[in-house]
């Protein structure tokens, strides 16, 4: 008999898809002051390290990315990028589809225990405690 369901977090219970999102005028690499080729070469491997928890925060990820290109980003750019991502992530949790909420409530009403696990980054998971899903 089924007793529990465990969900992964991104793109399962919540989605980052936003049809109205427009990318910034400058790329992240340009804003950080590193070449696009350095960004592309180093971002993927460093994201893997970040996802594994060996890089703990977004800021540490960006610093490692810039360091690998021999550059230190301005603090103002770091703060700006962090705020943009935090805002985008919080919107993700504020716009949970009603069908998802209904499904989770229905599963709970049937006595199933529900859980969420994720290897998402700190920025991805930070808004979770304030989500309408968290108490469920």
């Amino acid at each position: 008999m089924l007793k529990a369901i465990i969900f992964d977090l991104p793109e399962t219970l919540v989605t980052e898809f936003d049809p109205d999102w427009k990318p910034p005028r400058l790329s992240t690499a340009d804003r950080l002051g590193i070449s696009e080729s350095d960004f592309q070469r180093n971002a993927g491997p460093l994201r893997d390290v970040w996802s594994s928890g060996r890089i703990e925060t977004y800021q540490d990820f960006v610093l490692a990315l810039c360091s690998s290109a021999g550059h230190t980003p301005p603090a103002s750019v770091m703060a700006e990028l962090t705020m943009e991502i935090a805002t985008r992530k919080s919107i993700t949790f504020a716009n949970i589809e009603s069908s998802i909420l209904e499904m989770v409530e229905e599963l709970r009403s049937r006595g199933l225990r529900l859980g969420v696990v994720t290897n998402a980054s700190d920025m991805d998971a930070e808004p979770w405690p304030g989500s309408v899903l968290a108490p469920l």
Side-chain angles (χ1 to χ4, degrees):
M1 173 176 227
L2 186 64
K3 294 182 181 183
I5 298 175
I6 299 174
F7 295 95
D8 187 16
L9 186 55
E11 302 306 326
T12 306
L13 294 174
V14 299
T15 182
E16 290 187 21
F17 177 72
D18 178 359
D20 299 324
W21 182 78
K22 303 284 186 264
R25 186 176 56 82
L26 295 174
S27 72
T28 302
D30 286 337
R31 293 169 73 187
L32 290 170
I34 62 175
S35 72
E36 198 64 47
S37 61
D38 280 338
F39 184 91
Q40 294 300 326
R41 181 175 54 255
N42 296 309
L46 284 169
R47 264 193 202 98
D48 292 344
V49 175
W50 183 20
S51 293
S52 74
R54 291 177 288 162
I55 293 177
E56 291 186 23
T57 67
Y58 174 73
Q59 292 86 355
D60 291 340
F61 164 74
V62 172
L63 289 171
L65 180 60
C66 289
S67 177
S68 67
H71 179 68
T72 301
S76 61
V77 172
M78 290 285 294
E80 195 175 279
L81 288 171
T82 302
M83 180 58 73
E84 287 173 13
I85 289 176
T87 299
R88 220 169 43 236
K89 300 298 181 182
S90 66
I91 290 169
T92 297
F93 285 90
N95 295 322
I96 295 170
E97 293 180 26
S98 60
S99 60
I100 295 294
L101 191 54
E102 290 167 11
M103 176 209 44
V104 170
E105 289 171 338
E106 175 64 22
L107 292 171
R108 283 270 317 234
S109 75
R110 292 178 183 209
L112 292 167
R113 298 192 68 180
L114 306 177
V116 174
V117 296
T118 188
N119 64 344
S121 73
D122 61 314
M123 298 294 283
D124 290 318
E126 188 173 299
W128 172 257
S131 163
V132 297
L133 291 171
L136 300 174

